[in-house]
């Protein structure tokens, strides 16, 4: 299934957005990608200077035009704006490892709905997620290494569709959210770029 958002008119200066993927601040061995002796962060700062030199204030406020919040995995292969046909200012995007609905995601969604007017929630997991390759033992390994057990859960999973259903259920049953009637979940195929909607039942 393809997710469609209705188009909307804009006034004023046209706005475009660029989504950059990054994984580390350590030097990258790609020839010519960064200045000699520089880092990925240096490259991003240089890119920002070029961006800012042509930047024009779009005159928007913090309320998303489409009144939607998208919760997705942080995976660098997911370009949400391109994949969903979104423009700058259209939505809130909340990303974490796995795209799972944690307490912090509920915090962000609560602020998004109660203070910034969003009404719909779109949840996006994807094929080949790194959380399918680890277990909660990761926390034990960290405790052995650093001497302190993480307070957070890894939220690892084996069945991506079932994890989408669990995330939908966490949103729909949260007492803090005002709008839980339009919550839909999808799996993004990293090979085809298509979304597959998951039945919540």
């Amino acid at each position: 299934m393809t997710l469609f958002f209705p188009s909307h008119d804009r006034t004023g200066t046209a706005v475009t957005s660029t989504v950059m993927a990054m994984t580390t601040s350590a030097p990258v061995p790609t020839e010519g990608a960064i200045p000699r002796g520089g880092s990925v962060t240096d490259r991003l700062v240089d890119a920002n200077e070029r961006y800012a030199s042509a930047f024009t204030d779009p005159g928007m406020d913090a309320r998303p035009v489409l009144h939607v919040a998208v919760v997705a995995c942080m995976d660098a292969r997911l370009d949400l704006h391109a994949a969903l046909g979104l423009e700058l200012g259209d939505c809130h995007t909340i990303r974490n490892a796995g795209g799972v609905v944690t307490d912090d995601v509920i915090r962000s969604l609560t602020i998004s709905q109660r203070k910034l007017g969003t009404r719909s929630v779109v949840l996006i997991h994807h094929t080949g997620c790194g959380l399918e390759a680890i277990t909660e033992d990761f926390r034990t390994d960290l405790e052995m290494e650093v001497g302190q057990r993480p307070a957070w859960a890894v939220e690892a999973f084996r069945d991506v569709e079932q994890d989408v259903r669990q995330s939908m259920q966490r949103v729909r049953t949260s007492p803090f959210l005002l709008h839980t009637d339009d919550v839909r979940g999808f799996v993004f195929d990293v090979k085809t770029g298509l979304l597959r909607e998951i039945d919540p039942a």
Side-chain angles (χ1 to χ4, degrees):
M1 171 173 184
T2 301
L3 182 65
F4 174 77
F5 289 120
S7 60
H8 49 277
D9 294 328
R10 296 187 181 279
T11 58
T13 306
V15 176
T16 60
S17 62
T18 301
V19 177
M20 300 178 117
M22 65 177 176
T23 56
T24 179
S25 292
V28 174
T30 305
E31 185 174 336
I34 55 177
R36 187 183 185 109
S39 69
V40 170
T41 303
D42 293 328
R43 188 181 73 179
L44 298 181
V45 171
D46 289 344
N48 173 256
E49 290 177 358
R50 293 191 297 274
Y51 170 78
S53 68
F55 183 80
T56 302
D57 180 1
M60 301 175 180
D61 65 19
R63 295 174 175 266
V65 172
L66 296 181
H67 309 291
V68 62
V70 179
V71 179
C73 185
M74 66 184 187
D75 193 290
R77 294 170 291 181
L78 275 65
D79 183 342
L80 291 177
H81 277 70
L84 303 178
L86 296 167
E87 298 180 40
L88 184 69
D90 279 346
C91 73
H92 283 157
T93 54
I94 304 163
R95 300 183 72 162
N96 65 21
V100 296
V101 175
T102 60
D103 286 345
D104 193 60
V105 168
I106 293 295
R107 178 187 72 90
S108 293
L109 287 174
T110 302
I111 294 168
S112 177
Q113 290 190 357
R114 289 180 176 268
K115 296 300 182 182
L116 295 166
T118 60
R119 299 290 182 269
S120 301
V121 179
V122 174
L123 306 172
I124 301 178
H125 285 29
H126 65 93
T127 58
C129 185
L131 283 190
E132 295 177 278
I134 62 176
T135 69
E136 293 296 324
D137 289 340
F138 180 66
R139 296 171 71 219
T140 302
D141 296 340
L142 283 174
E143 183 179 16
M144 295 293 290
E145 179 183 335
V146 305
Q148 180 178 338
R149 188 170 183 80
W152 38 262
V154 177
E155 297 280 359
F157 54 85
R158 291 289 174 267
D159 184 333
V160 65
E161 293 188 7
Q162 185 56 35
D163 204 69
V164 171
R165 292 187 186 97
Q166 176 176 276
S167 289
M168 284 191 278
Q169 182 68 7
R170 287 178 177 176
V171 171
R172 287 178 171 150
T173 59
S174 172
F176 306 112
L177 299 177
L178 294 172
H179 307 285
T180 58
D181 55 327
D182 187 14
V183 180
R184 296 169 66 181
F186 301 83
V187 174
F188 177 85
D189 190 316
V190 297
K191 300 296 185 185
T192 68
L194 289 173
L195 291 174
R196 181 175 78 257
E197 184 156 15
I198 304 303
D199 187 336

